[in-house]
Amino acid sequence: MSFVALIPARLASSRLPEKPLADIGGKPMIVRVAERALQSGASAVHVATDDARIHAVVREHGFNALMTRADHASGTERLAEAADLLGLGDEAAVVNVQGDEPLIDPGLIDAVAHMLQRDNTLPMTTACHAIASAEDMFNPNVVKVVLDHAGRALYFSRAPIPYARDAFNQTRAALPTDLPVFRHIGIYGYRAGFLRQYRNLAPCALEQFEALEQLRVLWHGHAIGVAVMDHAPEAGVDTPADLERVRQRWNALHAQ
């Protein structure tokens, strides 16, 4: 089964103005993201935006761009509109690729799509990687996910889960051997039909307290498949310092 990579992009950014148009190795960031998405094996890559400048620059570099409404509350809502504009059937697989991750691993995109292909009962997928340090385990900015036997999410939390009661009563300086603790990676795959359904799901208290929107899906009784990756992803761009770090990383990777 093929899949479509959709990249939601807005020009407004409080911490880094005009972020999608920032230069990375001679091309706008949003174009670099589209290039990585194309390398994932996606049958099509589309940037979904509400800004004419982003639309124009994406088209100038040979990629597909869709103009979407400006009043969406989230990137997920923008993707749902994009799926409608593209006329995607309900069973079509869609991967949401963030527009501020110009160094994203194409294999990560493919892994999230592959879970949808492997299990046709899943409406949504995401990814994670193993946590190796106690510091990350107890850091509320590191989102944890607990999996069931089939690789589906049981819960996402900023709290240290699963909590090793006896081991942590003795010390929190190190993780016990074989504790199955995973850090959530913020990439999502959807069936187009579920994207359309998702925008109508009411928020729940869990997501509001944890500040984790994906908990809405679990609260409403829908499954999320989780692909386990063997390493952490490259970090995205939120601030000017992030942009400089990514530029240096890009230059180092393409120095040859």
Side-chain angles (χ1 to χ4, degrees):
M1 183 177 73
S2 62
F3 69 95
V4 175
L6 294 181
I7 308 169
R10 297 176 64 247
L11 197 61
S13 174
S14 58
R15 289 187 286 181
L16 185 59
E18 301 188 352
K19 179 168 64 171
L21 302 179
D23 182 86
I24 304 287
K27 293 182 182 179
M29 183 188 304
I30 191 66
V31 173
R32 292 302 188 192
V33 175
E35 290 175 342
R36 302 290 277 190
L38 187 62
Q39 294 172 24
S40 71
S43 58
V45 176
H46 299 270
V47 174
T49 185
D50 59 5
D51 185 86
R53 292 175 61 190
I54 294 175
H55 185 275
V57 78
V58 169
R59 296 289 295 274
E60 287 169 6
H61 285 83
F63 287 96
N64 303 315
L66 299 168
M67 285 298 297
T68 54
R69 300 199 316 270
D71 60 348
H72 290 304
S74 68
T76 310
E77 290 184 6
R78 193 175 307 283
L79 259 63
E81 183 189 357
D84 290 342
L85 291 172
L86 292 170
L88 297 180
D90 284 349
E91 292 304 311
V94 174
V95 177
N96 179 358
V97 180
Q98 295 300 312
D100 57 5
E101 297 185 8
L103 298 177
I104 188 169
D105 179 4
L108 172 60
I109 302 171
D110 178 68
V112 170
H114 181 73
M115 287 210 77
L116 288 172
Q117 297 165 353
R118 189 180 66 191
D119 184 348
N120 60 16
T121 68
L122 288 173
M124 181 173 170
T125 57
T126 188
C128 70
H129 68 87
I131 289 177
S133 73
E135 180 181 3
D136 283 345
M137 177 66 164
F138 290 96
N139 182 350
N141 294 317
V142 174
V143 177
K144 275 70 69 173
V145 58
V146 174
L147 310 181
D148 70 7
H149 74 284
R152 298 184 177 199
L154 290 171
Y155 192 68
F156 298 86
S157 183
R158 299 180 183 280
I161 58 171
Y163 191 85
R165 185 196 63 178
D166 295 342
F168 291 147
N169 280 343
Q170 297 182 23
T171 178
R172 294 188 178 186
L175 297 179
T177 302
D178 296 329
L179 181 67
V181 58
F182 297 98
R183 179 176 188 164
H184 179 228
I185 301 172
I187 183 172
Y188 298 98
Y190 306 89
R191 299 197 190 279
F194 185 68
L195 263 179
R196 298 180 178 108
Q197 181 180 359
Y198 182 93
R199 59 189 169 189
N200 296 318
L201 295 179
C204 68
L206 289 174
E207 70 171 287
Q208 293 169 341
F209 280 111
E210 293 257 22
L212 297 174
E213 186 179 340
Q214 65 270 32
L215 289 174
R216 183 185 312 182
V217 176
L218 298 183
W219 190 86
H220 282 278
H222 301 286
I224 303 177
V226 187
V228 180
M229 309 302 294
D230 59 9
H231 58 81
E234 295 277 0
V237 176
D238 288 320
T239 66
D242 292 337
L243 178 60
E244 183 57 31
R245 171 184 46 75
V246 167
R247 283 172 171 164
Q248 293 177 3
R249 177 69 171 151
W250 178 274
N251 292 336
L253 289 172
H254 297 83
Q256 297 180 348

